[in-house]
Amino acid sequence: QLHLNHIDIFPALPKVVLIDFDVYGYPVPCVHLAAKVSFTFSFWILLRQRLKEKKEELQSTDGLMEVKVQACDNSQSSQMMTVFGGLVKGILVKYWIFCCCFMFFFVSFSDKVAVYKILYICLFLFGVVLYEVHYEVWRSQLKYFWAVVVGYSMLVLMLIYVYQFKSVCNLFQQILGITEERLRDLGLEQFDTVELFARILRPAFFLLACILQLHYFNCDFLSVTDLQAVSTKNRTNREEDLKETLKGIFDMIRKNIEKLMKWLKEGQLRGKGGDQIHISSSSLDKHEIELEDDVDAVNHWLVVVDRVHELILSAVLLFWRGQEVCWRILELHSFKLVSTGIIWVCVKEVSLMNFLFLVFWTFALPYPRLRPLAFNVSSVWACVMVVCKMMYQLKSIKPSEYSSNCTAGLSSSNESWTAGNRAELLRTSVLYVAPVDPAMWVGGLRKCEDRILPCLWNHLLILGLLVFDVTVHRHQLHHRLQYGLKATYSRIIFQGVTHHNL
């Protein structure tokens, strides 16, 4: 047993450094040592198992493939599982990117604003603007975009965790000459154990979502959204495929019902088999009646299954037709929705920077040729406004240092005014109630007291409307290319309707 003190082993190192490197020692070291040994043991066991499986796969690849094919052929539920698995995978390929976008918002706008969150939202806004302005470039750079996001998230996690060491904290504050307030603006702050876990958990979940998108869904997502290589289909074939799929699923359900009822009949017959010698004619008639009731029950359930099959098929076809009509309505009227929303934001939040939106959309409404320019400029300018508002929330920016006090020269410049007019002016005018922050008049910038999302809602709404409009038109283009439809320039929703139909 060694009774050593840290002064004997590391005489020149302070206690803080020894604690950070986990070599200071514990009063009861068995618990910490057991945890480290358990982690190391499980790591080596999993690594050994993985290497063993990989070696077996390389040695017997052909044999394993034959076994897997036979197992799939013999499985009764393979068809249903294949359909269900394909459905789930298709949904995840199309919509998992929305989960990543939601995580972008959750990480960027939760708690107080920091510089690393501003960089998160800058990455997100860059991807959104590129999607709106140039679709093909966005698709070509999407893989690298997710790789950059994954790398940046890993860097953020490591920096937040490393800053919890006392020695690293002192290094940033003393050697680099950065104050504690500016370090908090950067997002570097020391927390207790519970709060540290909560702060790391959000970037960790976001990192996991981005890794899933990059490694499992990105390639299929790019093939689905490729407008240059859209696989053509026929509406009749689409409906026939739906009918065949539903028919296969409900045929399997019918077979299972028939097998279940057959199994119940056999169980009843075996239960009464031992008393067949002493069964009277009346009991035989009763048994035949019970069998006929079971057959009627089976037929009843089969009729119910057929009816449900027809209802589901009709509901899906009706949903598809209604979906096409809704997309067509949005294609014709989404521009009205976008222009109304942008003008409403300009009227609600009056500032010099929002005046640019008003100018562009005043000319874009009567002149269709200016609309693409108005879309692109509005997208970029909305991103600039969001970033400016987020940067204004940093603690190092203090409006009290540069705000103007208009009441200073009020008495000298307004000597002819009466005292009553001056009192009314001081009570009601925005210029004299409090010191005037010029950032409020220039760009609508104000402190939001760690609730940043309500301050950004107007310009995020502009960005969302622009993305929505672009998505609607690209969806309609994909729909026409997929079903071989000609692009129509008329403002008609139902193309085949005439006065005779009316």
Side-chain angles (χ1 to χ4, degrees):
Q1 186 177 4
L2 298 177
H3 298 280
L4 297 177
N5 197 347
H6 68 279
I7 300 177
D8 301 329
I9 304 176
F10 306 102
L13 294 178
K15 179 181 176 181
V16 176
V17 177
L18 296 178
I19 292 175
D20 287 344
F21 283 93
D22 201 18
V23 292
Y24 181 71
Y26 300 96
V28 184
C30 299
V31 177
H32 301 274
L33 187 61
K36 293 179 175 63
V37 169
S38 300
F39 172 76
T40 307
F41 178 75
S42 61
F43 170 76
W44 286 113
I45 287 293
L46 292 174
L47 180 60
R48 182 180 181 276
Q49 181 68 19
R50 175 58 184 162
L51 294 176
K52 183 178 179 180
E53 291 176 355
K54 189 174 182 181
K55 184 178 180 181
E56 291 177 354
E57 289 177 359
L58 293 175
Q59 290 178 353
S60 57
T61 305
D62 297 334
L64 289 175
M65 290 297 293
E66 293 177 359
V67 172
K68 289 180 181 178
V69 171
Q70 292 178 359
C72 291
D73 292 339
N74 294 331
S75 177
Q76 296 181 356
S77 62
S78 61
Q79 182 180 1
M80 182 179 294
M81 292 305 297
T82 301
V83 173
F84 181 74
L87 179 63
V88 172
K89 184 180 179 182
I91 292 174
L92 291 176
V93 166
K94 287 183 178 180
Y95 302 111
W96 187 255
I97 192 171
F98 291 102
C99 178
C100 295
C101 294
F102 171 75
M103 291 299 296
F104 255 118
F105 276 88
F106 186 65
V107 172
S108 302
F109 300 134
S110 60
D111 297 328
K112 58 185 179 182
V113 179
V115 173
Y116 80 90
K117 294 182 180 181
I118 296 176
L119 294 178
Y120 264 124
I121 204 64
C122 287
L123 288 172
F124 174 71
L125 295 176
F126 170 76
V128 170
V129 170
L130 196 60
Y131 168 77
E132 293 182 20
V133 176
H134 206 297
Y135 182 67
E136 293 301 326
V137 176
W138 175 76
R139 291 185 68 259
S140 63
Q141 301 298 321
L142 193 58
K143 180 180 179 181
Y144 307 103
F145 172 78
W146 290 120
V148 170
V149 172
V150 168
Y152 178 68
S153 300
M154 295 172 66
L155 180 63
V156 167
L157 284 172
M158 288 188 293
L159 287 177
I160 293 176
Y161 190 80
V162 168
Y163 190 76
Q164 306 308 311
F165 299 135
K166 300 292 184 181
S167 58
V168 176
C169 176
N170 296 331
L171 177 68
F172 275 85
Q173 293 182 7
Q174 296 177 6
I175 299 179
L176 299 181
I178 302 176
T179 61
E180 186 176 358
E181 184 181 24
R182 292 186 179 274
L183 289 174
R184 288 179 181 176
D185 284 342
L186 292 175
L188 299 177
E189 187 177 355
Q190 288 194 335
F191 311 101
D192 55 10
T193 304
V194 177
E195 192 175 1
L196 176 63
F197 181 76
R199 291 299 181 98
I200 288 182
L201 197 62
R202 287 189 287 264
F205 275 121
F206 177 64
L207 176 63
L208 177 61
C210 293
I211 288 175
L212 292 176
Q213 175 68 26
L214 178 62
H215 289 282
Y216 294 99
F217 306 129
N218 188 64
C219 293
D220 294 332
F221 178 79
L222 292 178
S223 61
V224 168
T225 57
D226 189 4
L227 297 178
Q228 304 296 330
V230 180
S231 58
T232 58
K233 295 181 181 179
N234 193 343
R235 293 189 178 184
T236 305
N237 295 337
R238 182 190 182 189
E239 295 180 0
E240 292 297 328
D241 293 340
L242 175 64
K243 292 178 182 179
E244 291 180 1
T245 303
L246 291 177
K247 184 176 182 300
I249 294 174
F250 281 95
D251 285 343
M252 188 177 299
I253 294 175
R254 293 189 194 94
K255 291 179 182 178
N256 291 330
I257 292 176
E258 293 175 355
K259 288 181 181 179
L260 178 61
M261 299 307 296
K262 184 178 180 181
W263 178 75
L264 291 175
K265 291 177 185 178
E266 292 177 353
Q268 291 177 357
L269 292 175
R270 282 195 295 269
K272 299 179 180 181
D275 300 331
Q276 286 181 356
I277 299 175
H278 305 287
I279 292 176
S280 61
S281 59
S282 61
S283 62
L284 287 174
D285 294 337
K286 184 178 180 181
H287 184 62
E288 290 177 357
I289 293 173
E290 291 178 354
L291 291 178
E292 290 178 358
D293 293 338
D294 293 337
V295 172
D296 293 337
V298 172
N299 293 330
H300 174 72
W301 280 107
L302 292 178
V303 171
V304 170
V305 170
D306 292 336
R307 184 59 179 166
V308 171
H309 180 199
E310 295 175 359
L311 290 175
I312 291 178
L313 180 61
S314 301
V316 173
L317 294 177
L318 182 62
F319 174 75
W320 282 352
R321 295 188 182 98
Q323 191 180 28
E324 291 179 0
V325 173
C326 291
W327 280 110
R328 178 60 179 166
I329 293 174
L330 290 175
E331 182 185 11
L332 296 179
H333 301 291
S334 62
F335 175 75
K336 302 179 182 66
L337 182 64
V338 172
S339 57
T340 304
I342 293 178
I343 297 298
W344 178 78
V345 169
C346 294
V347 173
K348 183 180 179 182
E349 187 178 305
V350 179
S351 65
L352 183 62
M353 296 180 74
N354 284 338
F355 185 67
L356 184 66
F357 293 113
L358 188 65
V359 171
F360 270 95
W361 285 91
T362 300
F363 289 97
L365 286 171
Y367 301 107
R369 292 184 179 180
L370 294 178
R371 291 175 186 177
L373 179 62
F375 268 88
N376 297 337
V377 174
S378 298
S379 301
V380 176
W381 196 244
C383 296
V384 171
M385 293 291 294
V386 170
V387 174
C388 290
K389 287 188 174 183
M390 289 195 70
M391 293 181 65
Y392 197 74
Q393 308 305 315
L394 299 178
K395 301 299 181 183
S396 57
I397 298 178
K398 301 176 181 179
S400 59
E401 296 180 354
Y402 54 84
S403 297
S404 301
N405 188 4
C406 298
T407 60
L410 182 63
S411 58
S412 61
S413 61
N414 297 283
E415 293 179 354
S416 61
W417 284 26
T418 63
N421 291 335
R422 186 180 294 112
E424 181 69 17
L425 186 66
L426 293 174
R427 187 175 61 86
T428 59
S429 177
V430 180
L431 295 175
Y432 304 105
V433 170
V436 178
D437 185 3
M440 182 64 188
W441 300 94
V442 173
L445 309 179
R446 58 187 176 89
K447 293 290 186 180
C448 301
E449 298 179 357
D450 297 335
R451 294 186 61 197
I452 184 61
L453 193 56
C455 297
L456 301 177
W457 177 251
N458 290 331
H459 293 92
L460 290 177
L461 176 63
I462 293 176
L463 203 60
L465 289 174
L466 295 172
V467 171
F468 175 75
D469 183 80
V470 171
T471 304
V472 167
H473 286 84
R474 285 177 184 156
H475 176 273
Q476 290 299 96
L477 176 60
H478 184 274
H479 177 75
R480 294 189 182 96
L481 292 174
Q482 190 175 29
Y483 293 103
L485 303 176
K486 294 182 180 180
T488 175
Y489 298 98
S490 63
R491 311 295 292 178
I492 301 172
I493 298 176
F494 304 98
Q495 298 292 332
V497 174
T498 62
H499 292 285
H500 178 71
N501 301 119
L502 198 61

